[in-house]
Amino acid sequence: MAEKKQMSREGYEKLEQELAYLITVRRAEVAQKLKEARSFGDLSENAEYDEAKNEQGILEAQIAEMENTLANAEVVDDEDISVHEVGVGSTIEIKRTDRDKVEKFKIVGTTEADPLEGKISDDSPIGKAAMKKKVGDRFTVEAPVGELEFEILSISK
């Protein structure tokens, strides 16, 4: 049995919408490309057909992966997010112990990660190290520049 991966309600619903789009719109587009490519005749030397078949394979793999992710998702609703301990859904403020700069991140599931938006995965180095920590706790992250130590300043929803 596959391991359950946590994700926020927002991330789950966004993935459901993406999946619905791939199934209803993209499948039809790829099927149309295949139909057009078939009309060009000899399939053995038909680059358009080969390309459309390849695109279809990639699309079906994406759909299968999304369906698997959704089937094995454990949705973390807002009321389940703790403000006492870091977990998926937590918004944390952390500070490197050797600097004054405070950084704010939301811990999300791997499919939702977007570092530019301040959303880091629970599998990322910082996310993984911060899990289950409380305000005032310190944790160390292995980075290319060496070990970095952080302190948890706040945890919120």
Side-chain angles (χ1 to χ4, degrees), residues 5 8 12 23 27 31 33 45 47-48 57 77 79 83 90-92 97 101 123-124 151 153-154:
K5 294 294 286 177
S8 69
Y12 186 87
I23 290 172
R27 258 189 188 157
K33 282 183 184 177
E45 294 181 20
E48 288 87 357
D77 287 309
E79 60 268 12
V83 293
S90 297
T91 298
I92 60 172
T97 55
K101 183 180 175 198
D123 279 340
S124 69
E151 180 179 353
L153 303 177
S154 73

Side-chain angles (χ1 to χ4, degrees), residues 13 27 33 40 71 101 117 121 133 139 151 157:
E13 290 171 357
R27 258 189 188 157
K33 282 183 184 177
F40 297 146
K101 183 180 175 198
E117 298 256 330
S121 162
K133 301 290 187 283
F139 61 93
E151 180 179 353
K157 291 185 181 186

Side-chain angles (χ1 to χ4, degrees), residues 2-155:
E3 179 187 343
K4 292 279 185 190
K5 294 294 286 177
Q6 291 186 326
M7 65 187 337
S8 69
R9 168 75 49 204
E10 176 188 350
Y12 186 87
E13 290 171 357
K14 184 178 177 191
L15 195 59
E16 277 185 321
Q17 289 170 355
E18 287 177 35
L19 178 61
Y21 171 77
L22 291 181
I23 290 172
T24 59
V25 178
R26 289 291 298 139
R27 258 189 188 157
E29 290 173 353
V30 171
Q32 184 60 36
K33 282 183 184 177
L34 274 169
K35 185 178 174 186
E36 287 172 17
R38 267 193 222 105
S39 72
F40 297 146
D42 184 6
L43 297 183
S44 66
E45 294 181 20
N46 187 331
E48 288 87 357
Y49 181 78
D50 290 343
E51 190 176 315
K53 280 301 278 181
N54 190 33
E55 188 176 347
Q56 182 185 42
I58 292 169
L59 175 64
E60 291 305 323
Q62 282 180 305
I63 288 171
E65 185 178 336
M66 285 182 174
E67 287 174 337
N68 185 48
T69 299
L70 290 170
N72 293 298
E74 180 185 327
V75 178
V76 179
D77 287 309
D78 282 354
E79 60 268 12
D80 298 329
I81 299 169
S82 171
V83 293
H84 306 293
E85 179 178 276
V86 177
V88 171
S90 297
T91 298
I92 60 172
E93 285 188 335
I94 59 173
K95 180 178 83 138
R96 264 179 56 185
T97 55
D98 62 343
R99 298 212 172 130
D100 283 336
K101 183 180 175 198
V102 174
E103 295 182 85
K104 187 175 187 174
F105 296 108
K106 181 173 179 104
I107 308 293
V108 296
T110 50
T111 60
E112 306 169 76
D114 186 350
L116 297 176
E117 298 256 330
K119 296 178 179 181
I120 60 172
S121 162
D122 58 336
D123 279 340
S124 69
I126 291 176
K128 189 180 284 188
M131 293 300 279
K132 306 283 185 210
K133 301 290 187 283
K134 297 172 177 34
V135 173
D137 285 355
R138 291 178 175 213
F139 61 93
T140 304
V141 174
E142 284 290 334
V145 296
E147 288 188 348
L148 304 176
E149 187 178 42
F150 293 90
E151 180 179 353
I152 307 252
L153 303 177
S154 73
I155 302 170

